[in-house]
Amino acid sequence: MHERSWSAVPIVAEPPTDSGTGDGRRFFEVPESGWHALFAWAVGPEHMVRCLDTRPPEPVRVVCESRGKRTVRVEERTRGDRSAVDSMIHDYLTDARVPSQPCGFRWFIELPDGIDDADQFFARFGPALMNLPAEPCPRREREAMIAVAETLYTTAPQE
């Protein structure tokens, strides 16, 4: 059992493929949001891998509305855009009392036995998250996510 920390997540040279990592484990990529990063924290480092993000930045879609007219344009992602995304993830994790996730990585969660994809994975957390009070509270979400993760994996994550 690893200590619960981002630095305990193994670094792999290449992102896992659809067929897994070659050791029978299958993974899906964690979307870039604080809420999704909280899922990664909940499953713990023994059920994750990460790799350096060497992909070129994806373009940003900018939507403007003025006087009832809507325009859409695509721009290259800037450092400011990257910083804003990282800041939002940091703020969400801070509210959940989770350390900041290191930047510059792509994060992957292992699919538990009997779960075929990310949609099925997230659906398993639905009932526990729906039973939380209506007002969002990342700390409560963290606790609920960890409890569900403990039931999904044979080795329960430690906090």
Side-chain angles (χ1 to χ4, degrees):
M1 178 76 54
H2 293 99
E3 172 189 331
R4 186 178 295 272
S5 74
W6 296 114
S7 61
V9 176
I11 299 173
V12 295
E14 297 291 328
T17 63
D18 288 341
S19 59
T21 56
D23 60 1
R25 299 168 64 193
R26 298 169 302 120
F27 292 82
F28 68 90
E29 187 164 3
V30 180
E32 282 188 314
S33 80
W35 192 66
H36 288 98
L38 192 53
F39 280 98
W41 182 260
V43 304
E46 60 274 8
H47 301 293
M48 294 177 15
V49 296
R50 60 185 167 146
C51 69
L52 289 175
D53 190 354
T54 58
R55 302 170 297 181
E58 292 186 26
V60 176
R61 186 170 172 250
V62 178
V63 180
C64 298
E65 290 192 36
S66 177
R67 298 183 184 146
K69 184 179 178 186
R70 185 177 197 191
T71 59
V72 179
R73 68 180 184 275
V74 176
E75 298 177 354
E76 289 188 43
R77 184 179 266 193
T78 67
R79 284 186 198 185
D81 296 327
R82 176 75 260 157
S83 179
V85 170
D86 291 341
S87 180
M88 286 186 286
I89 293 170
H90 166 80
D91 291 348
Y92 198 88
L93 293 176
T94 297
D95 288 347
R97 295 189 179 153
V98 169
S100 292
Q101 190 179 49
C103 301
F105 291 97
R106 295 170 61 188
W107 301 85
F108 299 85
I109 293 176
E110 178 184 7
L111 287 167
D113 290 337
I115 297 179
D116 295 326
D117 57 31
D119 289 338
Q120 286 182 7
F121 174 85
F122 292 124
R124 294 290 181 99
F125 291 82
L129 295 173
M130 296 299 272
N131 287 330
L132 295 176
E135 194 66 31
C137 177
R139 282 189 314 257
R140 283 193 215 115
E141 290 174 341
R142 181 199 69 203
E143 293 164 7
M145 288 176 183
I146 289 172
V148 172
E150 289 174 346
T151 66
L152 291 179
Y153 297 94
T154 56
T155 305
Q158 298 293 313
E159 179 147 356

